[in-house]
Amino acid sequence: MPENLTAADQSAWYLNPITEIRGVRHALIMTLDGMVQGRSQNLTVDEADGIAAMTAAMHAAARAATNTALGAAENLPIQTVTAVNALGTYMVMPAGAGTNTLIAAAGDEEMPMGVVAHTMARQAKKLGEQVMSVPRRGTEAGA
């Protein structure tokens, strides 16, 4: 990613390849606790905040149910959560291993799921690498 980008430009760097796919309505980057980190241009701040909060709850519930059903440790991460209804699909995946960041996309019934899943995985990997390269708050380099 080029340096010195604004937060909106950084979001576009990760989300535009997803939102440019036919049928994708919007995309979002958020933390596991529902804080918006980036949103596609067609989402208002209020819409993005609401979706992020609901997604955090959905992701946590899906992880708990999946891990309980499979007899896995409760903190084992899940790969992808997909919800489908008559109007389309909502897909959520982690942005790299060991991050607290999720990337999500919503699209209509014509959205090509395989293309979106592949593109999201590629962008999630890039985003995860970026997130992991930033030192955690409260730590100093070399400490």
Side-chain angles (χ1 to χ4, degrees):
M1 178 173 63
E3 294 183 27
N4 301 326
L5 293 179
T6 66
D9 290 338
Q10 288 177 7
S11 294
W13 180 265
Y14 296 112
L15 297 177
N16 282 354
I18 299 166
T19 58
E20 291 170 352
I21 299 169
R22 173 183 49 86
V24 174
R25 294 179 52 197
H26 51 260
L28 191 60
I29 300 167
M30 70 206 85
T31 62
L32 287 174
D33 58 357
M35 301 299 294
V36 174
Q37 301 296 303
R39 61 185 171 85
S40 54
Q41 293 178 352
N42 55 344
L43 275 177
T44 67
V45 170
D46 287 343
E47 289 170 329
D49 286 344
I51 292 168
M54 290 181 277
T55 300
M58 177 183 78
H59 188 268
R63 184 182 69 225
T66 301
N67 290 344
T68 300
L70 297 174
E74 69 179 46
N75 62 348
L76 184 68
I78 56 176
Q79 297 302 310
T80 304
V81 176
T82 303
V84 181
N85 69 19
L87 298 179
T89 303
Y90 185 57
M91 188 180 310
V92 182
M93 63 180 58
T99 71
N100 74 337
T101 305
L102 300 171
I103 190 167
D108 63 28
E109 65 279 354
E110 301 296 320
M111 179 177 81
M113 292 270 300
V115 173
V116 173
H118 173 76
T119 304
M120 281 182 66
R122 188 180 67 231
Q123 295 307 102
K125 182 179 180 208
K126 289 179 186 178
L127 179 59
E129 290 168 353
Q130 177 67 26
V131 169
M132 293 303 286
S133 70
V134 176
R136 290 184 179 210
R137 285 180 269 167
T139 62
E140 295 181 35

